[in-house]
Amino acid sequence: MTTQAQAQTVFQEAAVHNLDANGKKRRGRRLRPAGSRTSFRLFLCIVPFLILAFLFSYLPLYGWIYSLYDYKPALGLEGSEFVGLQWFQMLVSSPTQMAQIGQVLMNTLAISFLGIATSVLPLFFAILLNEIKAPWFRSSVQTLTALPNFISWVLVYMIAFSLFSSSGLVNDVLADTGLITTPIKFLDSDQNVWITMTLWSIWKGLGWGAIIYLASIAGIDQSLYESARIDGAGRFQLMRYITVPQLMPTYLVLLLLSIANILNNGMEQYYVFQNAFNKEWIQVLDLYVYNIGMTGNSLSLATAIGMLKSLISVALLLTVNAVSKRVRGESIV
């Protein structure tokens, strides 16, 4: 071995073991690898979001303690009577309560399953939107269809009332054309409530739900399309054999999350659309909890029902995650 090679070997060993020219240990701390510094900086970037998640998602779980008391707002938690599991026992021991919860669960599951069945619509809408060649027209359609997502459900109900109430535009047009003699009760009816709520949800969320699929389409390797065009594939064949299969992983993840979130319909939509005629069929679990807590003045019972709903949702998420890992080899959590 030459003298130059020996010197290079000694230098490398000294660098590895942090030694000086005399073979002694250098003082001072060792430098962190570049990857560790980058990871630490990235962690600092997500710290504010972790704090927000803790404040708004985990800290409110302290409120579950109200399910163990007969809480009276005027007395406060300390002045309220501790009842233990009384509210949970009442849920399963009262036939009337069980029947009411059964109807609420049926409404919740029916509307959720309709939402899952129509969850494929944003995917196909994104594919068709991507096929529009004129950029200005594609941008206009995407903007107009995504805009309803930013409209509150109160304004949506105002639109629905002006169009479909007994004195609304639709009934006026039908009466003027002689098609009807008495107004059709679109809103003040208990018929087809589940389908009506699903249609309003589709109208409000179709364009917004397509955005994630448009982003996935933008990430598809363009060489796949070029190779298919060379082989003579047409536009519909490109969509069928390339675009749709490439979007399936994204769709399956969103589908599994929807299944895990099947008991969470929200309450804003159903709260503004509920009335004395459709209350039995429109009351989902979130709205039922709100009505018991605020209208029925039973905050402890509402907390107990909401607590059970959260635990069931977590169990569904873990189940769906296990199924995804077994079937697809990938987990979503």
Side-chain angles (χ1 to χ4, degrees):
M1 181 181 296
T2 63
T3 305
Q4 183 178 1
Q6 292 177 350
Q8 184 177 2
T9 303
V10 171
F11 176 77
Q12 291 176 351
E13 292 180 354
V16 171
H17 297 287
N18 198 25
L19 303 177
D20 57 14
N22 298 323
K24 297 181 180 180
K25 194 74 172 181
R26 289 177 181 156
R27 294 182 179 181
R29 62 180 183 180
R30 297 178 60 184
L31 296 177
R32 293 181 179 178
S36 299
R37 294 195 297 271
T38 303
S39 300
F40 183 71
R41 293 194 188 101
L42 292 176
F43 174 75
L44 292 179
C45 291
I46 67 172
V47 164
F49 301 99
L50 294 177
I51 295 175
L52 289 176
F54 173 77
L55 292 177
F56 291 97
S57 299
Y58 294 98
L59 188 61
L61 294 180
Y62 172 77
W64 283 2
I65 195 175
Y66 288 84
S67 64
L68 304 177
Y69 289 82
D70 185 12
Y71 179 68
K72 305 295 182 183
L75 300 177
L77 188 62
E78 295 180 357
S80 301
E81 180 185 359
F82 180 82
V83 296
L85 301 178
Q86 172 185 322
W87 300 112
F88 298 96
Q89 295 173 354
M90 192 187 75
L91 289 176
V92 298
S93 62
S94 174
T96 303
Q97 190 75 30
M98 288 295 295
Q100 192 172 14
I101 292 179
Q103 178 65 43
V104 170
L105 285 177
M106 184 172 65
N107 298 338
T108 303
L109 295 176
I111 295 176
S112 295
F113 279 123
L114 287 174
I116 292 174
T118 57
S119 63
V120 71
L121 295 179
L123 184 146
F124 287 114
F125 180 72
I127 294 175
L128 297 177
L129 194 62
N130 184 67
E131 293 299 318
I132 298 177
K133 299 304 180 183
W136 67 270
F137 185 67
R138 181 172 64 247
S139 300
S140 300
V141 173
Q142 183 177 354
T143 301
L144 291 175
T145 54
L147 187 61
N149 180 75
F150 302 97
I151 302 176
S152 68
W153 280 109
V154 176
L155 295 179
V156 172
Y157 180 75
M158 292 176 61
I159 297 173
F161 186 82
S162 62
L163 292 176
F164 299 106
S165 64
S166 299
S167 58
L169 179 63
V170 174
N171 275 312
D172 289 345
V173 171
L174 293 177
D176 293 340
T177 56
L179 296 177
I180 60 173
T181 56
T182 57
I184 300 176
K185 295 183 177 181
F186 293 103
L187 301 177
D188 302 335
S189 175
D190 60 350
Q191 297 180 357
N192 304 319
V193 177
W194 299 340
I195 297 177
T196 304
M197 293 297 100
T198 302
L199 292 177
W200 281 112
S201 298
I202 292 173
W203 174 79
K204 195 172 187 295
L206 180 64
W208 181 257
I211 291 178
I212 189 171
Y213 295 111
L214 289 172
S216 298
I217 292 174
I220 298 177
D221 189 358
Q222 295 300 312
S223 62
L224 298 175
Y225 293 104
E226 295 174 0
S227 301
R229 291 191 186 97
I230 293 175
D231 292 337
R235 177 177 293 185
F236 290 99
Q237 291 175 322
L238 292 176
M239 289 188 290
R240 178 180 178 183
Y241 295 106
I242 296 180
T243 307
V244 174
Q246 291 293 320
L247 292 180
M248 278 297 104
T250 302
Y251 173 74
L252 289 176
V253 170
L254 296 177
L255 177 64
L256 293 175
L257 290 175
S258 299
I259 295 175
N261 213 30
I262 199 170
L263 294 180
N264 299 318
N265 302 102
M267 59 155 285
E268 295 87 356
Q269 175 186 1
Y270 312 100
Y271 177 76
V272 298
F273 276 93
Q274 73 171 343
N275 51 58
F277 301 96
N278 62 12
K279 184 176 181 180
E280 181 181 358
W281 300 98
I282 201 175
Q283 189 169 224
V284 295
L285 194 55
D286 291 321
L287 180 58
Y288 178 67
V289 171
Y290 175 84
N291 287 335
I292 287 182
M294 304 304 294
T295 306
N297 198 24
S298 182
L299 297 176
S300 297
L301 179 59
T303 304
I305 298 175
M307 179 179 173
L308 291 176
K309 189 202 74 165
S310 300
L311 294 177
I312 294 174
S313 297
V314 172
L316 287 173
L317 177 61
L318 295 178
T319 302
V320 169
N321 185 69
V323 172
S324 174
K325 189 173 183 180
R326 178 179 295 272
V327 175
R328 300 175 59 242
E330 299 178 357
S331 59
I332 60 178
V333 178

